[in-house]
Amino acid sequence: MAIPYEFAYERPETAEQAIKLLGKYGKNARILAGGTDLANQMKQGFRVPEILIDIKNIKEWEVIKMVNNELHIGSLVTFNDLRKSQLIREKLNILFEAAGLVASTGVRNRATMVGNICSAVACMDSAAPLLVHEAVIHTMSIDGERAIPIQQWFIDNRKTAIQDNELVTHVSIPIPEKKYAGAYQKMMRYSGEDLSQSNVGVLVLSDNKYHVAFGSVGPIPKRSLKIENLLNTKGISKETIEEAKAMIETVIAPITDVRATKEYRMHMTKVMFERALKSAVERFKQPKLITQ
Ligand SMILES: Cc1cc2nc3c(=O)[nH]c(=O)nc-3n(C[C@@H](O)[C@@H](O)[C@H](O)COP(=O)(O)OP(=O)(O)OC[C@H]3O[C@@H](n4cnc5c(N)ncnc54)[C@H](O)[C@@H]3O)c2cc1C
């Protein structure tokens, strides 16, 4: 299916050129990264921009790097870049794991992590890992720069805190000073190219602290401070895990759609939470690089 209308196309070489164009066209412009979501949205008429601003020539945004105690992931970093990065494998094992479960190699070669959180479709795979790691989204516009904590980024299904004249330059993730380990669980109808029916991320930190986030089971992915408080205060035991699983009923709000019923999502999210928690605890106790 072709895109059934005309639009202008610009490919700026620098961040300054890109934000100037965005400042000029505002809500009539769309940033183009990998295009895996945007091309479909334009074909279906869900997005009808006057101009596409293709950012792929802005090489500084292809980078994954450590800056002091933060890991920075540029807005052109694809899911396969994440998979190839030793830094991600060593420092953000949960994101490495989630990236490997996104679609297929072909899609992962083009799809960026930043495009994923800008599309903000509830079933996205990068949200739970970024939520448990308390990532910060960095934006730029002709009015200046903003740093938005990921907890404030997702406003509704497909709606984020970004303004019409802003683009995302990178995401920063603070690396905990002490030992930590994460685990990600994704449920899909079949292995391979499918969106998640439900997903769970768990991060185990030193001093018996836990971060827990859920995706695909409500309009926006979210962290549950309630479940975290329970685990932080009572520790991990068979009883607390059962208590936390019961609590999930009050935390998530799954719907029935073509991919699963709400009852199945609710049941399986509890199962996946337990698997993710146990796996993260195991990795915390016996750290080793994951390969899958
Ligand atoms: C067949 C298929 C299977 C898929 N399977 C999965 C899956 O299993 N899991 C999953 O999570 N996702 C999946 N996806 C969706 C995933 O490919 C996208 O969400 C992707 O990550 C978006 O990145 P992109 O670079 O392609 O963004 P684009 O399509 O270029 O852009 C997406 C949106 O983000 C905006 N945008 C992009 N970059 C910026 C920026 N720097 N600043 C401001 N706005 C920006 C664009 O304007 C657009 O609105 C799948 C897609 C396809 C086609």
Side-chain angles (χ1 to χ4, degrees), residues 29-157:
R30 274 328 294 172
I31 297 293
L32 174 68
T36 60
D37 277 336
L38 189 55
N40 282 332
Q41 291 166 359
M42 289 173 69
K43 285 175 191 169
Q44 290 159 10
F46 172 64
R47 297 262 184 225
V48 189
E50 264 176 38
I51 177 168
L52 285 189
I53 304 172
D54 185 346
I55 56 174
K56 280 193 283 295
N57 274 354
I58 305 175
K59 299 294 173 204
E60 67 196 271
W61 293 343
E62 287 177 356
V63 175
I64 301 173
K65 62 181 176 192
M66 283 301 295
V67 179
N68 303 321
N69 62 342
E70 288 178 346
L71 209 152
H72 286 204
I73 299 176
S75 60
L76 285 173
V77 170
T78 66
F79 285 109
N80 265 350
D81 293 333
L82 294 176
R83 292 289 292 178
K84 286 185 211 143
S85 162
Q86 194 61 17
L87 263 181
I88 300 293
R89 187 181 289 221
E90 281 172 11
K91 302 209 180 281
L92 288 178
N93 76 323
I94 181 171
L95 185 61
F96 178 81
E97 192 165 40
L101 292 168
V102 172
S104 55
T105 304
V107 174
R108 287 196 297 270
N109 274 337
R110 292 196 70 83
T112 61
M113 184 194 79
V114 165
N116 199 236
I117 57 167
C118 285
S119 280
V121 178
C123 58
M124 79 199 96
D125 281 303
S126 52
L130 295 177
L131 277 162
V132 295
H133 270 285
E134 301 184 323
V136 176
I137 323 292
H138 297 264
T139 68
M140 190 191 245
S141 75
I142 45 172
D143 299 327
E145 296 178 13
R146 288 201 299 155
I148 306 166
I150 189 142
Q151 288 271 60
Q152 294 160 26
W153 178 253
F154 300 109
I155 308 286
D156 204 345
N157 188 30

Side-chain angles (χ1 to χ4, degrees), residues 187-189 197-198 217 252 254-256 259-272:
M187 179 175 71
M188 32 188 183
R189 289 168 295 183
Q197 297 165 307
S198 163
V217 282
I252 64 172
I255 55 160
T256 295
R259 289 202 299 280
T261 62
K262 59 183 179 192
E263 291 80 10
Y264 183 63
R265 280 193 159 103
M266 182 61 83
H267 175 75
M268 286 307 295
T269 303
K270 294 178 189 173
V271 174
M272 293 192 313

